[in-house]
Amino acid sequence: MKHRIAGRRLDRTTEHRTAMFRNMVSSLLRHERIQTTTPKAKELKRIADKVITLGKKGTAHARRLAYRQVRDVEVLNKLFDTLGPRFAARPGGYTRIVKLGRRPGDNAEVAVIELVEKAPAEVPAAEGKGAKGEAKAEPKAKKPEAAKKPEAEKKPKAEKKPKAEKKPKAEKPAKKEKAGA
């Protein structure tokens, strides 16, 4: 019976398993979505949710504790500056696992683990509706300018030069046979 034994071994040594999950947590926080096998995703969910909870706290102590799992300073800053405030109102359950099916090579069950709340789309800071409409009109104006060029002005592609003829290789002298065998 497996009483009081939590977690999956995933057929790896302890050092390999901890290093793998540290890398996976960093990748998940950086890209906000990764694809992996289902058992790894389920284990990663436990670790990632704890790290995001530390990011919500925002204290120096929480940053030191999170640094144990996330060794990349860039990702750690993202955790405390953007992800922590994003999940501040959520009481848990920061990740979602979506099963994709089976992998063709080894028939392993594959899943995507992603953060539940997406990053808010960046809206340009413009005043009124007129500014937004003008911003959209500019890209449309650029396209017709490129199309106006007549074909005669376009430079013709460079013609291919004929390949140089290969010179026959000089014949190598025959190897000497070893005597005394």
Side-chain angles (χ1 to χ4, degrees), residues 131-178:
K132 288 182 183 178
E134 291 172 9
K136 290 181 182 178
E138 288 178 21
K140 291 180 182 177
K142 290 180 182 178
K143 289 179 183 177
E145 290 174 12
K148 288 181 182 177
K149 290 185 179 179
E151 293 180 20
E153 291 182 19
K154 293 182 181 178
K155 295 180 182 177
K157 293 183 180 179
E159 295 179 15
K160 293 184 180 179
K161 297 179 182 177
K163 293 183 180 179
E165 295 179 16
K166 293 183 180 179
K167 296 179 182 176
K169 293 183 181 179
E171 293 182 20
K172 294 181 181 178
K175 293 184 180 179
K176 297 179 183 177
E177 293 182 20
K178 293 183 180 179

Side-chain angles (χ1 to χ4, degrees), residues 76-107:
L76 195 66
N77 289 336
K78 179 180 179 180
L79 173 66
F80 281 87
D81 296 340
T82 61
L83 297 179
R86 188 192 309 174
F87 290 109
R90 183 176 284 272
Y94 313 112
T95 54
R96 168 190 306 126
I97 296 174
V98 179
K99 295 182 180 179
L100 298 178
R102 297 210 170 252
R103 189 163 51 198
D106 57 355
N107 206 29

Side-chain angles (χ1 to χ4, degrees), residues 51-82:
V51 170
I52 293 172
T53 302
L54 291 173
K56 281 173 53 176
K57 290 182 182 176
T59 62
H61 182 61
R63 185 176 285 267
R64 289 186 192 106
L65 291 175
Y67 185 70
R68 289 180 184 175
Q69 294 294 327
V70 181
R71 290 299 186 130
D72 189 355
V73 178
E74 180 183 321
V75 176
L76 195 66
N77 289 336
K78 179 180 179 180
L79 173 66
F80 281 87
D81 296 340
T82 61

Side-chain angles (χ1 to χ4, degrees), residues 26-74:
S26 297
S27 295
L28 176 64
L29 296 178
R30 176 180 286 122
H31 303 292
E32 299 186 10
R33 176 184 182 137
I34 59 172
Q35 180 176 335
T36 182
T37 60
T38 303
K40 286 182 195 171
K42 288 180 178 180
E43 277 301 303
L44 180 62
K45 183 180 178 73
R46 296 175 58 217
I47 300 167
D49 284 355
K50 290 176 184 175
V51 170
I52 293 172
T53 302
L54 291 173
K56 281 173 53 176
K57 290 182 182 176
T59 62
H61 182 61
R63 185 176 285 267
R64 289 186 192 106
L65 291 175
Y67 185 70
R68 289 180 184 175
Q69 294 294 327
V70 181
R71 290 299 186 130
D72 189 355
V73 178
E74 180 183 321

